[in-house]
Amino acid sequence: MSFVRTAVRSALARRSAFFRSVKHLSTDAAQPQQHAAGAGGAKFPGAQQASFVTAPKLALPETMEPLSIYRVMNSEGVIEDESQDPKLDQATVRKMFRDMVLLNTMDKILYESQRQGRISFYMTNFGEEASHIGSAAALSIEDWVYGQYREAGVLVWRGFTISDFINQCYGNAEDQGKGRQMPVHYGSRKLNFVTISSPLGTQIPQAAGAAYAFKLQPNNQRCVVTYFGEGAASEGDTHAAFNFAATLDCPVIFFCRNNGFAISTPSAEQYRGDGIAGRASGYGMAALRFDGTDVFATYNATKLAREYVLRENKPIVLEAMAYRIGHHSTSDDSTAYRPAEELEVWNTVEHPITKLKHYMIRRGWFNEEEENEFVKSVRKQVLSQINQSERIPKPNWREMFQDVYQDMPNHLKEQMREMEEHVAKHQEHYPLKDYKQ
């Protein structure tokens, strides 16, 4: 019984000590919140900034003000607020326009190449050219890019050539990826563009980790940008990336291309909240939503975001609002789930190339004859490169054993030896003439 009495006295002593500590917190640390709360109280670790109220009130989504859409240029190419003019010179604007036109022209031809059975797969970028070019122009070439599969314009801006694109789509021996990826899964170590992978969303937490590594380097001047669609934002990888980046203060730009459709699922069925940028505050991140068909709004937004993440060592969510004009891929038929009338508006009046053309005409920077000749030149280059790429052999089949280990281990050496013997014995069953020897 003496043991029980001792235990009770000990418990009462601990309880008294606890309430003394609460009283101390109430009179000191929590004092600034007394007026708002009506009474002092301890700060909960999970909600340090929240005050107390005496009546329950539901936080309803319909009472939340949606984030606005930042725009610089309207559909007629008119800058609505001169203070937002990025003041880019003629050469830069012309490069923006021509890079968008090059991408658009190349997309049309390679899409038809897939339809002819010349390549196995393709994804176009129609309607989203401005979000690629505008953001790429605002980044440093030293910044790392983790793409999804619809950011080819970023590579165009950085110097990925027509031959680089087409050799990758054909998976031949000149492909920088050594023919190991399906078409449009580009990558370039030289251009700091990490190779695309098919599983949706995997690049997003990888980007957060890379940005954290950059932050740890002395005098870091590099950030990371990762692109993804609003459909990928439904993946668990996105939540993990947002939370890691916010809690670890990573200089990463989460660039969401909200083009209205996750394959055939419209955004109205993909989420119920205020888009993707609207989620940022829940993670403690900054956010900015803008018109992704406006190359100047995209440029200004990305430039501002880059300055912010490097200055504050914190992440930001950018949401480029656009419309996917093309089918999701060559495996999709979008006429089954959206009306042609809707598509027509975005393919004409609201098209990003059309808007920039209007702007250039107003500035006296557009020459119709020169630009038509440029399109013809691009078409000729693309068609010529297709003709060449088709003739280049596939990489040596032994490449599949390379690049996993710095020094090939014995078990892979044995497998390669067995494969060599097998191919030599049954070479009539393999198209060896199509492969580099």
Side-chain angles (χ1 to χ4, degrees), residues 257-269:
R257 299 175 295 92
N258 191 334
N259 62 23
F261 297 93
I263 306 181
S264 60
T265 303
S267 55
E269 297 176 19

Side-chain angles (χ1 to χ4, degrees), residues 284-297:
M285 292 190 291
L288 178 60
R289 175 180 290 154
F290 57 92
D291 181 352
T293 67
D294 177 351
V295 71
F296 294 153

Side-chain angles (χ1 to χ4, degrees), residues 227-243:
Y227 294 87
F228 55 96
E230 83 284 354
S234 293
E235 294 287 337
D237 298 74
T238 307
H239 161 71
F242 282 11
N243 207 39

Side-chain angles (χ1 to χ4, degrees), residues 16 37 39 122 167 206 208 229 249 311 355 415:
S16 297
Y122 197 71
N167 284 332
Q206 292 166 6
D249 293 328
R311 182 182 66 248
K355 290 180 180 180
Q415 288 178 29

Side-chain angles (χ1 to χ4, degrees), residues 175-284:
D175 169 24
Q176 294 183 30
K178 299 185 178 182
R180 294 169 179 168
Q181 291 271 31
M182 57 188 292
V184 309
H185 289 57
Y186 311 113
S188 173
R189 178 177 293 184
K190 180 177 69 174
L191 302 177
N192 293 317
F193 192 103
V194 179
T195 303
I196 296 164
S197 60
S198 282
L200 206 59
T202 56
Q203 79 279 10
I204 309 174
Q206 292 166 6
Y212 182 66
F214 283 175
K215 186 183 80 165
L216 298 180
Q217 297 175 0
N219 304 314
N220 173 53
Q221 296 299 316
R222 294 185 294 175
C223 73
V224 177
V225 59
T226 179
Y227 294 87
F228 55 96
E230 83 284 354
S234 293
E235 294 287 337
D237 298 74
T238 307
H239 161 71
F242 282 11
N243 207 39
F244 271 120
T247 56
L248 295 175
D249 293 328
C250 304
V252 57
I253 299 171
F254 294 111
F255 194 109
C256 177
R257 299 175 295 92
N258 191 334
N259 62 23
F261 297 93
I263 306 181
S264 60
T265 303
S267 55
E269 297 176 19
Q270 184 68 220
Y271 54 77
R272 282 290 181 267
D274 182 24
I276 309 305
R279 302 177 189 178
S281 61
Y283 291 92

Side-chain angles (χ1 to χ4, degrees), residues 48-87:
Q48 291 277 345
Q49 305 303 317
S51 59
F52 290 99
V53 295
T54 56
K57 183 179 179 181
L58 297 178
L60 299 172
E62 53 265 30
T63 64
M64 305 294 182
E65 188 71 23
L67 292 177
S68 55
I69 302 173
Y70 168 63
R71 184 172 76 171
V72 173
M73 185 168 53
N74 65 20
S75 59
E76 297 300 318
V78 176
I79 292 182
E80 298 178 314
D81 180 348
E82 288 299 324
S83 70
Q84 296 304 303
D85 186 343
K87 308 293 185 185

